[in-house]
Every structure is written in structure tokens, then in C-alpha cells.
Amino acid sequence: CMYVCMCVCVCVRTCITVIEEPDTLFQKLTVLVKGHDKAVLDSYEFFASMTAKELGLTLAKVSEPPKNIERLTLLKSVHIFKKHRVQYEMRTHFRCIEISKVTGSTAQVYLEYIQRNLPEGMAMEVTKTAIEKVPEHIRTPLWGDQSQAEKTSQ
Amino acid sequence: MIWRSVDLRRTALRTLLQLQLNMAASTFCPVLLPLSRINCKLNGIYTLISLNKTAAYSTGLSVKKTGAKTGLPQRGGKELRRQIKQVLQPRTERMAVDQDWTAVYPTAASFKADAVPLPVRMGYPVKKGVPPSKKGNLELLKIPNFLHLTPNAIKKQCEALKPFCTEWPAALDSDEKCEKHFPIQVQKKDYVFAGPSLRHPDARIVTLTVKLSSLNLDDHARKKMIKLSGERYNKDTDTLTITADSCPLKQQNHDYAMYMLTVLYHESWKIEAWEKEKTRADMEEYVWEDSPSQKNILETLLRIRPLSEQQEEGEVREELLGREEVQEYKDSVTKLKNEGETEGNMQQYKEAVKKLLSI
């Protein structure tokens, strides 16, 4: 006899490790999705916004940038018949989802989940705006003493 | 001889079918692959049985095991055939209203008309007709479906993902506070798409934005920094934008942008020897002191009230410059030169001149 064995996953909570390194902070996370079918984009927008709500992220803006139509006019026949042409067009629809004030870990989780469930035939562009502190070497000028000396001599 | 071998094969088939139905009756059957192929060695014969996809789903029926040697009795055969017939019916007939849909579509899968209990119609309708039904509909197969991402499924998966998320620090609730504590903004882009290569050439570009007011700069350093940055500085928003795209990796471009900022900062604090030769033409904004306008005003005022012999020129100059009307005139001229000619500026200049000349 043959039996199908199912592998049971070990409890997820034991896999989480907290590192000492400070988390990156993103002031804005813009997800621009492109596709040829508007209905699929609508469904994906619903999915992405619902995920953001469930994970507790603030949805700043959900917009629909205007579509882009690329048109081609080609010859209908393989040889001669210049007056008879055929026209094609490629429509690209867009959806923009803006999320404000996310941490690096949350952004990673959200983006990975979103990207794994991206349907076939759609592309995504993610713009991350991270905020950082002024680094140590820009706090005080290296040549500060020199400039002070110059000023006093003048 | 031939008869016996055929009998054995038939028996083997029946036993295997019963085993499959038994397995199907258990709860973890939906996880089985749609096409299950069981390679089985039974009674010395290698039998490769390819079972139908519908047979792999849970039946919820219990099948009695009958004796194999003497052949199955008639009643058992009828029962078995009836059960097989039920299994071959679409799964939608046996679905409960409150079933767990995440078990039917746990992952992204193509549309299965026998597994989706919705009366969906898709396609262009025939003349005086309706769009074609879901059975054997290619349009429904072609379009990506979101049956695996129902609100319930999303909620369940988000619950599982929540432990990996971190909270935004509560102290940084407004943009101003973020700007105050974290003045540098770094913008990076990622791309997800299908193509011959997974790499996008624009993914390496890094843009660094910082407001000069948040850096430790004195007057000279600020002016020098603005001159050094040139086109990268925006006067209206007081932001310096550094775009790095010369390195192949994002991290390298980020490091380069930070290096550029560091170099700009430290260079702007340096005072070179040739900076002493800065002329009036190099000045970024109009300065009234030692300008022709000041000289003209002083001359005019001295002419109105000529110098008496006791007073010295230097003292008179100081006294004249300290007067309120002269200060007002100075403000109006500086405003005109720096901000350009506007209604308000011209009015102010007119008033100042009238006061000075006591018209």
C-alpha cells in the first residue's frame, strides 16, 4: 500500500529572530502596477489595499494614472499592397498605491507578499524613499579650525 | 493462462481504486496533486495507473473492502460503480455553503469549472444568445483569477505574516519631525517584471535629497556649497539632490552619493586663498554696503545739508547712515534688487524716496 505523507511545518514563531541593527525607515513606499487588463488591475488593487489594511499600514493614496496607448500601423501583406495596412495598439493601464511611514521589516514583508501574488502579465515598479540621519562625518567640518583661524587673521 | 492474468489485472485495478477511494475519504486528500500516478508492484506485476483528477478529491464516502480472490459480488460491484459515478460528477454538487474555500484554492491555479460553484459566463455572445457558460470556456482559463485571494484567505495569511512586521516609531508621527531627526532622504527603485533577463538597468539609480538648512553650515560655507552644487540645488525648496548611477550596484551608488555629500560639505568649509578676490559681480545677492546706491544717497544728502567746518566727514556719514529714512531706503533698494520688481516693492521704494527727500 502507498500512503501520502504530509510534512507538518514547525511552529513559525520559533523562526523569528530580532537583530540589534536599527530598522530602515521609509517615509513613502510607492507601488506602481502596470498591466493590459483593467479588471485584473482592479482586483489586484483590492488585494493590495486589503493587505495593507490588515497589516496596519497607512494607505496615503490609491490612484489610477492615465493609460498609455502605443499604436502601430503595419503593412497587411507580405509583399506589395502598400495601400492596405493593419493597425495594432497596445494599452498599458496603471495603478499607483502609496503607503506612508513604514519600517524596513514591514515593507519587506508587505512587498514580498504582494510580489509573490502578482498575476501573470503584470509588472511592478516599487519606489522606496528611506529617511536617514546625518552621518557622523558631516556633523562638524574638518576644516572648521582652519577657517576660524583665517577669519581671525583677516 | 491468459484468463488468469486478465483476472489478476482486473482485481489489482479494483483493489487500487478502493484504496484510492479510501485515501480520498480522509481529510488531507485535497492536498494531493491533481494527477496522481501510483506505481505499484502487486502480485509481481508492475502496474502503472494514472487516476483521473476528479477521483483525487475527497468523497466523504466510506468504501467497504470486499474479498479479492473469488471476485467481487454483484452488489459490491453496483455500489462501487455508483460511488465512482458520484466521484465523476462535478465537485460543485457536493460543496457545502459554509465550506472552507481556502482548501479548494489554496494557491494560484487556473479556473476549474468543476471546482468553482459560480454560474460564471464569459466571452462574446452568439447572435440572439448569451455569453458561453463556464464549462470548457477558454476565456476563463486565459485570464488570471484571484480565487486564491479571497478576503478570508488574505486575512488568514496576514495573520500569519504579522509577527514579522515591526511598528513605526510613535514619536515620528508628522513629516516635520521626520525632517528634523532624519533630514537625508534616499530614493531607490525596484522592478518586478517578466522578460529575457530579470535585471532592470534603472534599478541601480540612487537619488539623495537633503535640505541645506539641516546641515551645519555657516554663511560662507552655505554660499560655497550652493556654488559647487550648481544645477543640483533648488533655491525654492532649499534642497540639494545628488543622483548616483555610475556604479553597477545600488549599494555602491548609495555609498558614492554619501561620499559626494561628505566631500561637498567639507570643501565648502575650506577657504582658499583666491576666494579673497571675490568681486561684486560674484556675489549671489545684492549687498547695499559700499554700493553705488549708498554713495549716491550720501552725496545727495550732503548736498541738501552742506558740511559745516566743525563736523568731520566720517562722523556725518555715520550719522546719516543711522537715520531711519536711510535705513528704509536701504531695505527697499535691497528688496528690489534681490526679489525683482513687484508692485509692493516699487511702492515701498517710492515711499522711502519721498520720506528721504521730505516731499
Side-chain angles (χ1 to χ4, degrees):
Chain A
C1 306
M2 204 194 87
Y3 289 103
V4 175
C5 49
M6 227 178 73
C7 56
V8 181
C9 294
V10 182
C11 182
V12 174
R13 283 172 207 278
T14 53
C15 309
I16 305 165
T17 45
V18 181
I19 318 167
E20 286 305 315
E21 198 190 304
D23 220 347
T24 30
L25 298 168
F26 292 113
Q27 196 175 39
K28 203 165 61 166
L29 191 76
T30 311
V31 176
L32 177 75
V33 208
K34 299 187 244 189
H36 292 301
D37 200 327
K38 211 168 166 204
V40 177
L41 271 169
D42 287 332
S43 306
Y44 191 75
E45 179 205 311
F46 172 79
F47 158 67
S49 35
M50 188 162 182
T51 311
K53 269 182 225 150
E54 290 294 315
L55 290 174
L57 308 174
T58 38
L59 267 175
K61 196 170 65 158
V62 177
S63 64
E64 191 186 340
K67 63 178 183 277
N68 173 41
I69 307 177
E70 195 188 316
R71 292 195 174 100
L72 309 164
T73 311
L74 306 168
L75 293 171
K76 207 182 222 179
S77 168
V78 155
H79 181 57
I80 52 170
F81 304 119
K82 194 63 178 260
K83 281 195 273 184
H84 303 89
R85 314 238 181 165
V86 70
Q87 289 184 312
Y88 295 107
E89 68 176 27
M90 285 179 280
R91 294 186 177 192
T92 312
H93 301 269
F94 302 92
R95 244 358 113 89
C96 190
I97 298 163
E98 249 183 58
I99 293 169
S100 60
K101 302 199 173 59
V102 230
T103 52
S105 335
T106 316
Q108 204 179 16
V109 165
Y110 177 73
L111 284 173
E112 187 170 339
Y113 182 56
I114 292 282
Q115 284 165 6
R116 274 183 193 271
N117 288 311
L118 190 71
E120 43 278 345
M122 276 171 64
M124 188 198 278
E125 187 186 302
V126 178
T127 313
K128 301 180 199 168
T129 312
I131 47 175
E132 289 176 18
K133 284 199 162 162
V134 177
E136 286 296 324
H137 39 270
I138 309 185
R139 296 278 168 85
T140 46
L142 260 177
W143 317 99
D145 300 327
Q146 197 193 67
S147 70
Q148 287 289 323
E150 290 268 351
K151 277 187 180 167
T152 48
S153 70
Q154 277 170 19
Chain B
M1 270 303 279
I2 306 163
W3 273 105
R4 212 191 287 167
S5 61
V6 165
D7 239 337
L8 271 170
R9 237 180 284 136
R10 214 183 283 155
T11 343
L13 203 90
R14 275 216 199 97
T15 347
L16 276 162
L17 270 171
Q18 280 180 11
L19 270 169
Q20 183 60 23
L21 284 168
N22 264 335
M23 279 180 353
S26 63
T27 44
F28 49 72
C29 192
V31 182
L32 280 175
L33 298 165
L35 273 165
S36 41
R37 307 187 98 213
I38 301 171
N39 219 337
C40 199
K41 187 175 177 186
L42 207 78
N43 297 341
I45 309 163
Y46 264 107
T47 331
L48 189 74
I49 295 169
S50 167
L51 289 164
N52 200 1
K53 359 183 191 182
T54 48
Y57 294 133
S58 170
T59 54
L61 302 158
S62 59
V63 182
K64 290 181 217 151
K65 245 191 178 170
T66 51
K69 254 195 176 171
T70 49
L72 295 162
Q74 260 318 85
R75 214 196 266 172
K78 254 199 193 160
E79 185 76 29
L80 189 63
R81 259 181 270 133
R82 190 163 56 83
Q83 279 165 1
I84 292 170
K85 202 176 175 183
Q86 267 190 339
V87 165
L88 293 173
Q89 270 182 343
R91 188 180 163 182
T92 50
E93 317 265 315
R94 279 168 277 122
M95 275 182 177
V97 176
D98 55 350
Q99 69 170 336
D100 184 20
W101 183 255
T102 54
V104 183
Y105 266 88
T107 48
S110 57
F111 183 86
K112 294 173 190 96
D114 286 347
V116 179
L118 300 167
V120 189
R121 285 182 174 271
M122 184 149 168
Y124 195 79
V126 285
K127 263 189 185 174
K128 294 179 191 172
V130 290
S133 65
K134 61 178 180 175
K135 267 227 154 150
N137 196 329
L138 194 64
E139 293 298 316
L140 284 164
L141 274 174
K142 287 196 289 192
I143 200 80
N145 64 59
F146 284 78
L147 292 161
H148 58 292
L149 293 172
T150 49
N152 260 346
I154 300 172
K155 279 189 185 130
K156 273 192 200 172
Q157 286 165 353
C158 286
E159 278 305 311
L161 290 172
K162 270 209 173 118
F164 295 98
C165 299
T166 50
E167 263 187 38
W168 179 261
L172 296 168
D173 46 0
S174 72
D175 276 335
E176 289 80 27
K177 283 190 193 163
C178 289
E179 188 70 48
K180 188 178 142 198
H181 298 285
F182 299 90
I184 296 182
Q185 290 183 337
V186 180
Q187 197 192 71
K188 297 182 187 174
K189 284 196 182 186
D190 284 317
Y191 297 87
V192 180
F193 62 103
S197 159
L198 283 176
R199 306 192 192 287
H200 199 280
D202 290 346
R204 69 183 200 286
I205 299 173
V206 172
T207 310
L208 192 137
T209 332
V210 68
K211 279 208 166 152
L212 289 187
S213 48
S214 51
L215 296 173
N216 179 18
L217 292 165
D218 74 344
D219 195 45
H220 159 263
R222 193 193 147 85
K223 286 188 180 158
K224 188 164 176 185
M225 187 121 162
I226 293 169
K227 277 212 171 184
L228 283 171
S229 5
E231 283 242 329
R232 295 173 191 80
Y233 177 73
N234 185 355
K235 210 167 70 168
D236 300 319
T237 53
D238 187 36
T239 41
L240 169 68
T241 313
I242 299 171
T243 309
D245 63 346
S246 39
C247 307
L249 294 179
K250 214 183 284 194
Q251 185 57 40
Q252 292 172 341
N253 279 318
H254 177 95
D255 294 336
Y256 183 67
M258 291 305 279
Y259 164 73
M260 277 274 101
L261 183 66
T262 318
V263 162
L264 266 174
Y265 180 78
H266 291 300
E267 281 297 309
S268 60
W269 272 97
K270 272 195 209 170
I271 299 178
E272 305 281 343
W274 43 262
E275 283 186 42
K276 279 184 260 175
E277 295 153 28
K278 192 176 182 184
T279 58
R280 232 180 148 62
D282 298 322
M283 297 285 179
E284 290 84 10
E285 49 183 24
Y286 182 77
V287 173
W288 195 69
E289 279 81 32
D290 299 328
S291 73
S293 170
Q294 191 193 39
K295 287 186 202 135
N296 288 340
I297 268 292
L298 285 169
E299 265 182 54
T300 323
L301 287 171
L302 281 169
R303 279 217 195 135
I304 294 171
R305 261 195 296 135
L307 256 169
S308 57
E309 282 169 13
Q310 294 135 8
Q311 287 170 317
E312 275 186 28
E313 224 185 287
E315 274 180 24
V316 176
R317 242 177 79 96
E318 293 298 322
E319 189 213 349
L320 281 173
L321 283 171
R323 273 163 62 183
E324 215 186 278
E325 296 100 6
V326 180
Q327 290 294 320
E328 262 188 45
Y329 180 77
K330 167 194 166 186
D331 288 332
S332 64
V333 169
T334 330
K335 248 192 174 179
L336 264 177
K337 290 273 182 177
N338 285 337
E339 292 164 29
E341 288 180 17
T342 59
E343 281 288 327
N345 283 354
M346 294 302 278
Q347 279 291 99
Q348 204 181 3
Y349 180 73
K350 183 172 118 183
E351 297 300 314
V353 168
K354 274 161 76 173
K355 265 193 187 171
L356 252 182
L357 304 174
S358 39
I359 298 167

